[in-house]
Each structure stands twice: as structure tokens, then as C-alpha cells.
Amino acid sequence: MSFKKHLIISTLIRVFLIYYGEVQDSLSDVQYTDVDYRVVTDGANHVLALGSPFKRHTYRYTPLLAYLVLPNLLVHPSFGKFIFSLFDILIGVLIKWILLNCYRSNKISIETKLLKLETLNNRNKYLIKRKNEILNSNNEALPPKYIRMAEISAYCWLYNPLTMIIATRGNGDCVSCSLVLLSIYFLLKNEQTIVQYFVAGLFLGLSIHFRLYPIGFCLAFYLATQNRTLEKWNEIVRSILKPNAKQIALVLGTVVALGSTTALFYWLYGYQFIYESMLYHLVRKDTRHNFSLYFYLQYLSSTFDVTVLEKVLTFLPQLILILMLTVRYGQHRQTLAFGLFAIAFVMVTYNPVVTSQYFVWFLSLLPLCVKNFRNIGIRKAVFIPVMWFISQGGWLLPAYLLEFKGWNTFEFIWIQSIVFFFSNVLILQMLISNYDIAYNYKID
């Protein structure tokens, strides 16, 4: 089937899930609709009454999300789920576009090599013919296997049951994920103009406004716009302090988008907007719906104030890993996608609060890396997701008994949080060890 037909099928599956959710919500105590969807809808109700969405207790998102689901009150209660599902489909399309651009970028490098070879030996008829074939080809004139690989990678997202369920339950994280992918798309475009880097910065700044996690991508984006490889720390610091025109455009776009949206909503809603949508997430505790390794610690210390030292020790491991991954993979356009995936994976795994919707942060980036995994094989390809889902299931059982049966299963949840943490560490180690930039990337 064509890619368009797959888009239609994946869209119909999401529509079915939305309607199925309506039925489950009416018949079962276990609600299909995400509780956050109801919170955001209540926030939209306050906006519709010309008030602040933060009047709704536990509303801790950008006000843009409340504006986005206003049709929930004007058209249909599930309208927002359709909007989030459209962003979910957009992510699949962006995955294909980004990967096709990666292959075309490699084709352009081949053009340059052929031109140089022809200069050295202009009597080589094969080189002349090959050069003309490349220069005269259109954007779709890639070998079919590479177009197919880009589409298969997109299907990894479009048919992922976890991401489909998260979006159709009414979670808005797919909006921030799509903005991140848009920023990657413009950053890696082959034209490499100042305008495209500014636009990439705009989408990056807007994604940070929606969710704070893309802040961890900023240094990788910044380093990926340089024109050379930096091997020493003093060179990296010098590159940061002496930006080129592309880096300035990227930073300017990010600051404009993030600064303007923050200033606008601060003017409308004051300090409450800053605290609820940004600062709160730095001190947040979640003693129930939390996969985090720090879950039990938060539960035992829920009545105590968190000290600065505790916050530093909590975030220090992920900060160190993010810096190492940025330097290792963030300096090159070809490895940027895997670097961002690994950074997002670390941010989720080591975060003090981990919920199911956070998984889309790295799952939306994983399809960009599929083409570069060597020696994964069928066994590992099956083992990795099975282990990941089983470790989640082991956590969900005691969590269900706590939430719906009132059993005291906190210690069992803590044990499963440890199992889930080490499962994630093992998975990331396996993916890093099997990652090869040249595998399935070079165009013959």
C-alpha cells in the first residue's frame, strides 16, 4: 500500500479508539480518558469565561493548550482528542520527511565527491554520466529501498499502540513532540540558510513553552550548526562563546518564540502562570502515578520540604549523562537524531516523576534512528520491547491494587520502579552499542 493509505488506516484506528474510549468511560470504573484531559477542558472552560485556566486546580500547562481544546465546549467533548490525534499523525509524516532529507543530504555529499573526481579525471565517462544523473534527478529520485526505509520508520510511530492510546486518551504531549520534530526538520534541511535556522529556533522555543523537556536539546541543536568537529572541551567552550551566523539565528528564533509566549501569558495571568506551568515541574512530587526510581523516596518524604541538596543530587546524574550524550552525538548532523533520542530517554528514565505520557518524548525520536541500528536482529528486536512492556506491566499491577482496591502496595511499586529503571538502562545500553552512523545510510 502507498504511504497515504497507511495514513488513512492509522487515522481510522485513532478515530475508532476515541469512540471506544467513550464507551469504556460510560461502562467501566477504569476510565479510558486521561484525567489530564478533563483538567485541560476545565481550564478551557475558565478561558471561555474570560478567566484564567489556572483557576482550575492542578492545571499546570501552557494556556495555549486550553485555547486549543476550546472546541471541547463549543463542538463536542472529544474534539480535543481528534486534534491531538492529528498532531499524532503529523509526527509520522515528519519522521518520513526528516529521513528522506537525511538520505538526500548524503546524496548531495556524493555530488560533491563526483564533481571533485571529474575535475581530476574529466575523461571518465562513467563519472560524468553519474554526476549528470544525480544533478538532474528530482527530490524523489532516491533508491526505492531508502524511500521504503523512511516509510517503515514512520510506520513504527503510526502503528505504535502505546502512542495511539496516549493521544486518543486526550494527552497533549504529541503537540510538543511534533514541534520538536518540526525544529529538527528545519535544522537539518539541506539548503542551510539563515532563515531555516531561525525557523528551527522558533519551533524549538515553542516546544519548550509547551513542555520544558526540549531544554535538554538546546546545546545539541547549537553544536549541530557548527561547521567542524570539536574534540576538546576548550574547543567546545570556545564554539559556544563565539557563535557563527547559523547559531545566532537559531538562538534568536528560540528566544523570540519562548520569550514572546512567556511574556504574553505573564501579562495575562501573572506569576501564577510562571509557577504552575514552569517552576512547579522543578519541585513536583507524585506519589501515585509515577514509574520513577525516586517514587518511594517522594512518598516517604511527602510531608517534608525538599532541600536544595536533594534536588541537586536528584538531577545531577541526568545532567551529566545529557552533557556526555550531547558532546558525543550532538555535534554532527548525521547523529543528531540519535543524540536527541538518547537525551530524551535519559531525561525520562532519571526524572523524579515519570508517567506514561512522558514515553512519547523519546518514542517520537526513536523511528529516526531505526535505520542505523546494526546487528539488532530479530531476537533483540523482540526482546527489547517485550522487556520494556513487561517491566511496565509489573509496575501497573500493584499500582492498580493501590489506586482502585486501596491495598498498601507501595513497597511493591517501589521494587517494580527499580526493575523498570534498570530495564531502561539496559535498553539504552543495547541501542547505543548497536548504533552505527553508516549502517543503512550510505547511498551506493
Side-chain angles (χ1 to χ4, degrees), residues 120-367:
L120 296 174
N121 185 9
N122 54 19
R123 295 183 179 180
N124 191 320
K125 295 182 179 180
Y126 169 76
L127 291 177
I128 296 174
K129 180 181 178 181
R130 180 72 174 123
K131 182 207 70 171
N132 291 332
E133 288 177 354
I134 293 177
L135 293 180
N136 294 330
S137 63
N138 56 38
N139 286 337
E140 296 298 329
L142 287 170
K145 65 176 182 178
Y146 296 102
I147 298 176
R148 183 63 177 166
M149 175 58 69
E151 293 178 348
I152 290 175
S153 299
Y155 301 152
C156 291
W157 173 268
L158 292 173
Y159 292 111
N160 187 325
L162 179 64
T163 58
M164 285 192 290
I165 291 173
I166 289 176
T168 55
R169 290 185 67 214
N171 181 267
D173 277 275
C174 53
V175 178
S176 58
C177 291
S178 62
L179 292 171
V180 169
L181 287 171
L182 279 168
S183 63
I184 296 173
Y185 172 73
F186 281 98
L187 185 78
L188 298 181
K189 285 190 69 175
N190 296 323
E191 291 79 0
Q192 300 189 32
T193 62
I194 299 299
V195 174
Q196 85 175 58
Y197 288 105
F198 179 77
V199 174
L202 289 177
F203 283 114
L204 180 60
L206 196 56
S207 68
I208 295 172
H209 174 77
F210 264 87
R211 277 290 197 180
L212 293 180
Y213 80 92
I215 288 179
F217 301 158
C218 289
L219 182 58
F221 271 71
Y222 187 86
L223 294 178
T225 59
Q226 62 192 354
N227 299 319
R228 63 188 189 282
T229 301
L230 306 177
E231 298 180 353
K232 299 180 179 180
W233 286 101
N234 60 337
E235 294 178 344
I236 296 175
V237 174
R238 194 180 302 114
S239 173
I240 295 174
L241 298 178
K242 295 182 178 180
N244 56 38
K246 299 174 183 177
Q247 291 170 327
I248 292 174
L250 177 69
V251 172
L252 184 61
T254 305
V255 171
V256 167
L258 181 59
S260 59
T261 51
T262 302
L264 172 63
F265 291 120
Y266 179 77
W267 175 67
L268 289 174
Y269 306 119
Y271 175 76
Q272 189 179 20
F273 153 69
I274 298 293
Y275 177 78
E276 296 290 353
S277 65
M278 297 180 183
L279 300 180
Y280 170 80
H281 297 284
L282 301 178
V283 297
R284 175 185 177 186
K285 290 184 178 181
D286 193 334
T287 58
R288 285 189 179 269
H289 314 92
N290 190 356
F291 289 90
S292 175
L293 180 68
Y294 303 103
F295 156 78
Y296 200 50
L297 174 65
Q298 294 182 37
Y299 169 69
L300 295 176
S301 62
S302 58
T303 58
F304 301 96
D305 293 330
V306 180
T307 65
V308 175
L309 179 61
E310 288 175 334
K311 296 302 295 182
V312 171
L313 293 177
T314 299
F315 283 99
L316 188 60
Q318 64 173 299
L319 290 176
I320 294 174
L321 289 172
I322 288 172
L323 183 60
M324 294 174 62
L325 291 168
T326 299
V327 174
R328 176 66 180 86
Y329 297 107
Q331 295 191 55
H332 310 283
R333 290 165 55 89
Q334 293 86 349
T335 60
L336 177 64
F338 182 74
L340 297 179
F341 161 76
I343 290 170
F345 199 96
V346 165
M347 292 176 70
V348 173
T349 301
Y350 286 79
N351 205 48
V353 177
V354 180
T355 57
S356 297
Q357 56 262 36
Y358 291 6
F359 299 152
V360 300
W361 298 357
F362 59 80
L363 289 176
S364 60
L365 297 167
L366 179 59

